[in-house]
Every structure is written in C-alpha cells, then in structure tokens.
Amino acid sequence: MSLKRGFFVIVGLTSVTLGTIGIVVPLLPTVPFILLAAYCFARSSDRLHHWLMTHPWFSQGLNDWQNKRSINKMLKRKAMIMTTLSFVVSIAIVPLLWVQIMLVCMLCVLLLFMWQIPELD
C-alpha cells in the first residue's frame, strides 16, 4: 500500500469513527465525517468504499448524494434539526458573548447551505 493510499485509509477510518460517535453525541456532526470517509475510501480502498456505500445506516444518503446530488427530504430535515440543537446547546454552554455570536453566525451559514441542497421527494 502506498503512503498516499495509507493516509486516505487512516483519515477515512477516523472519519467513520467520528461520524458514528456523532450519531449519539450532539456536538459532533455525522454527515461531514461520513462524506469525508466516502471520499477517502474511494481513493484508497475498494473494499472499504463498498462497505460504506452499502452500510445500512449510511448507504441511502451517500448513494442519493453520489448519484443525484440531492438528499432525502426527511434526512435533510433531521440534519437541520440536529445541527440546530447542537449549536443551541453549544451557545447555551459557552459563557463568552463573542463566541456565542460567532456560533450563531456559523449556524446561520450552515443552515443556509443545507437549505440550498436539493431534495428528493
């Protein structure tokens, strides 16, 4: 295995781990890590890429995004709700006003980006 492929495998496995943890930990996002893992596995391991693309938890969203550049309406709604809840918890916990303002701005930008992603009915 080349150094480049090894790097992508390690980053992909780390991303899957963090994405899976993000399912139950509200402050850790799942979707970006799973998308990063798919990207890394596509460049490093056919076996791991196939495993991720057929995994029961992730396959529908990944395949919809890869084939149609859109996501299921319910998945998008859940992602937006969970993102909002995560940021609200973070904003409530952080005592510094400037950090709270920054988090609100980041949430608005992220929700705007997510809102513009095409939906499947």
Side-chain angles (χ1 to χ4, degrees):
M1 182 182 297
S2 71
L3 184 60
K4 185 177 177 181
R5 284 185 63 200
F7 171 78
F8 278 122
V9 167
I10 290 170
V11 172
L13 291 172
T14 303
S15 296
V16 167
T17 302
L18 291 173
T20 304
I21 293 169
I23 293 171
V24 294
V25 176
L27 299 178
L28 194 62
T30 297
V31 174
F33 286 119
I34 299 304
L35 290 175
L36 177 60
Y39 175 86
C40 290
F41 291 158
R43 280 144 187 79
S44 62
S45 171
D46 290 335
R47 183 177 60 84
L48 289 172
H49 187 255
H50 179 264
W51 169 79
L52 186 61
M53 297 304 287
T54 58
H55 192 281
W57 292 354
F58 309 121
S59 64
Q60 181 186 1
L62 287 172
N63 285 307
D64 286 346
W65 182 253
Q66 182 177 8
N67 298 327
K68 302 169 188 164
R69 286 293 184 237
S70 58
I71 61 174
N72 178 286
K73 186 182 256 187
M74 286 303 297
L75 180 61
K76 179 179 173 179
R77 188 170 291 145
K78 285 179 188 177
M80 291 178 78
I81 289 169
M82 291 307 295
T83 299
T84 301
L85 290 174
S86 296
F87 270 85
V88 167
V89 169
S90 298
I91 292 164
I93 291 173
V94 173
L96 301 172
L97 180 62
W98 71 270
V99 176
Q100 291 173 332
I101 292 169
M102 180 184 67
L103 288 171
V104 168
C105 293
M106 289 171 60
L107 174 61
C108 291
V109 169
L110 184 56
L111 289 176
L112 179 64
F113 170 76
M114 291 172 78
W115 182 69
Q116 293 177 345
I117 294 173
E119 296 175 356
L120 294 172
D121 290 324

